[in-house]
Amino acid sequence: MAKPQSAADLRKQIAEHQANLVRLGEAWGQQVVDALDDADRATIARLKSMLDDLSYRRNTAEGAEQLEAIRKKLEQIRLKAYRKAERKLREEASGLMANEVKWARRILLAFLGYRFLRGKTATPRSTSTDDAELADTWITEYATARIPDASSISAPASRKSGKSSSFDAETIFPEKIPDAISAAEQKRIVRNAVIQDKSWAGWWTHTADADVQRIAETVNQGINEGWSIDQITARVMGTRAGEFADGTLSTNRARVRNMARTICSGIANEAKDAFYRENSDVCIGVEWLDTLDGRTCRHCASLSRKRWKTDEPHPVPPVHPNCRCVLLPVTPVSDSADEQRPAAKADFMAEARRAYEKKHPGKKWEELAESTRKKYYYDAIHDYEKRTGGPAFELVSGGMSFKEYFETVMTEQQRKDWLGPERYKLYRKGLKFDDFISPWPLPGMTVKQLKALDLESFEK
């Protein structure tokens, strides 16, 4: 019989699952790019043909009609490719939701105190288990406070370890917790769920429209400025010298990959959130888990370790492209054991950027492909370990928030890298961590309040 997995195993599985979701998002992006490849060739061929037949008169109604006719022809080609990719990924989205719900179920059962054997057998952990044994069970290290009931869902400022006396693990049986969400919920997620600021359909419409518009603007500029056909198509397609990364189509591909990563993460997290809500009898809330390193943005840092009841409004990752955060379930026994999680000892992305700019003066870090930036990132981690002789990450309290990480673990260089030069100057002058992050949700404002704030700012 297999040995029950520990809290450290759970921590590792959560991190690996998030990394695999990123890989899946990249694969989705590649699928859309592959669908656009044929459209790119057709776009250039059609564009050359239309420009060759064009008799254009600048700043006339007839000229405007000609430009619009070109845009519509290009739009037909581009939208056909997007529709093909959207249908394929919509089918994959159903499979992704099913998988994420099964994953969320395992996590929820783990947070309810169950041990897993080969992923099949579950046995409840008794609430009388002593602290030493708790440390070896598959209990989360991520929650931040003892939660005896749903009324105390808000996470306190500091973590407390203890046992909940109001919960009996023997009364919860795994077979009573479904491993799927309703078909209605699945349809709602794909049709109506807002991922960042757009629905599934909204993302595809927005990305396709922006794709066509960027090409049309490049063509319009070229025609109006008297470029040759070759010059116009080179601006659209990119040049061989620039490895075709300097054209409008390259920009479109980058936006497509961003869209795919976003909707992949959004669909996955919406499915998990729906599962937690449908099982609110045992999942009393959700908690925002971020990553303790310099890549965590100020928005995610403001949400770090916050908790909400399952039935109250709360954000669902991703809140920005490439968001690595995840919502975890909160249960009455979530906080039975203290554990640890890794925290970066340097801002390795900032270190990577400095190393690249030192090696390639005059070149811009932002223009590097994502895969190249990641390579420099991992190189920076290895360089740190080689230079210091120690690990790049240290284990800290599992309940540590990003604010605590900033105030107690980060070095001054890390704080400067995370805040940026100007904010760091303000921090050194006395501003605190909370002064650099926005509260959630953003408070409402009236015209009267705006006027008062404006007057106050002018008086300073």
Side-chain angles (χ1 to χ4, degrees), residues 16 26 64 73 77 100 174 200 207 248 251 313 355 390 408 426 431 454:
E16 288 180 346
E26 294 285 355
K73 289 292 184 181
I77 297 171
E100 291 306 294
W200 170 279
T207 305
T248 305
T251 301
T408 64
L426 297 174
L431 266 64
D454 286 342

Side-chain angles (χ1 to χ4, degrees), residues 220-293:
N220 291 354
Q221 180 186 4
I223 291 174
N224 279 294
E225 294 185 9
W227 301 349
S228 68
I229 294 177
D230 287 343
Q231 287 174 320
I232 293 174
T233 55
R235 284 292 186 94
V236 174
M237 184 171 57
T239 62
R240 188 178 300 277
E243 298 180 346
F244 299 101
D246 52 352
T248 305
L249 296 181
S250 178
T251 301
N252 290 346
R253 290 190 189 95
R255 299 299 174 86
V256 158
R257 293 183 188 278
N258 174 63
M259 175 197 71
R261 289 192 298 266
T262 302
I263 62 176
C264 177
S265 176
I267 289 292
N269 284 292
E270 287 287 347
K272 290 193 283 281
D273 189 59
F275 172 79
Y276 296 142
R277 282 187 282 104
E278 287 191 359
N279 292 278
S280 58
D281 54 334
V282 291
C283 179
I284 59 177
V286 291
E287 179 178 4
W288 189 277
L289 178 69
D290 56 336
T291 304
L292 301 182
D293 66 17

Side-chain angles (χ1 to χ4, degrees), residues 375-424:
K375 179 183 181 301
Y376 275 93
Y377 171 76
Y378 291 120
D379 285 346
I381 292 176
H382 297 149
D383 289 344
Y384 177 90
E385 293 178 336
K386 183 178 180 180
R387 184 175 69 252
T388 64
F393 296 83
E394 66 175 290
L395 291 178
V396 298
S397 169
M400 179 175 284
S401 69
F402 196 91
K403 178 181 179 180
E404 293 171 318
Y405 170 63
F406 176 90
E407 293 176 341
T408 64
V409 177
M410 276 190 172
T411 65
E412 282 303 306
Q413 182 61 55
Q414 280 179 279
R415 296 189 184 106
K416 184 176 182 179
D417 288 332
W418 191 75
L419 290 171
E422 297 304 317
R423 292 189 183 92
Y424 182 72

Side-chain angles (χ1 to χ4, degrees), residues 180-395:
I181 56 177
S182 65
E185 268 301 282
Q186 291 192 43
K187 289 182 179 179
R188 179 197 66 79
I189 290 172
V190 175
R191 292 180 180 178
N192 303 317
V194 176
I195 301 170
Q196 286 189 36
D197 56 353
K198 289 178 278 292
S199 66
W200 170 279
W203 272 104
W204 288 94
T205 300
H206 171 79
T207 305
D209 286 348
D211 175 308
V212 173
Q213 187 61 29
R214 278 189 289 270
I215 296 174
E217 288 174 354
T218 302
V219 173
N220 291 354
Q221 180 186 4
I223 291 174
N224 279 294
E225 294 185 9
W227 301 349
S228 68
I229 294 177
D230 287 343
Q231 287 174 320
I232 293 174
T233 55
R235 284 292 186 94
V236 174
M237 184 171 57
T239 62
R240 188 178 300 277
E243 298 180 346
F244 299 101
D246 52 352
T248 305
L249 296 181
S250 178
T251 301
N252 290 346
R253 290 190 189 95
R255 299 299 174 86
V256 158
R257 293 183 188 278
N258 174 63
M259 175 197 71
R261 289 192 298 266
T262 302
I263 62 176
C264 177
S265 176
I267 289 292
N269 284 292
E270 287 287 347
K272 290 193 283 281
D273 189 59
F275 172 79
Y276 296 142
R277 282 187 282 104
E278 287 191 359
N279 292 278
S280 58
D281 54 334
V282 291
C283 179
I284 59 177
V286 291
E287 179 178 4
W288 189 277
L289 178 69
D290 56 336
T291 304
L292 301 182
D293 66 17
R295 295 166 62 194
T296 296
C297 73
R298 286 181 292 125
H299 190 168
C300 293
S302 72
L303 298 171
S304 177
R305 313 322 301 248
K306 288 189 181 297
R307 288 178 172 182
W308 302 268
K309 294 179 181 179
T310 51
D311 61 351
E312 70 177 327
H314 58 267
V316 177
V319 295
H320 59 79
N322 302 316
C323 181
R324 298 172 296 160
C325 297
V326 62
L327 286 179
L328 296 179
V330 177
T331 72
V333 294
S334 289
D335 307 312
S336 295
D338 275 324
E339 256 294 333
Q340 295 177 309
R341 65 175 178 141
K345 297 173 73 172
D347 188 336
F348 298 112
M349 192 59 78
E351 297 280 348
R353 178 172 185 157
R354 282 190 285 270
Y356 173 78
E357 291 177 347
K358 182 179 180 180
K359 185 176 180 180
H360 303 282
K363 291 190 176 182
K364 296 182 179 180
W365 170 261
E366 292 78 10
E367 295 177 354
L368 286 176
E370 180 69 19
S371 58
T372 305
R373 288 199 295 268
K374 285 183 178 178
K375 179 183 181 301
Y376 275 93
Y377 171 76
Y378 291 120
D379 285 346
I381 292 176
H382 297 149
D383 289 344
Y384 177 90
E385 293 178 336
K386 183 178 180 180
R387 184 175 69 252
T388 64
F393 296 83
E394 66 175 290
L395 291 178

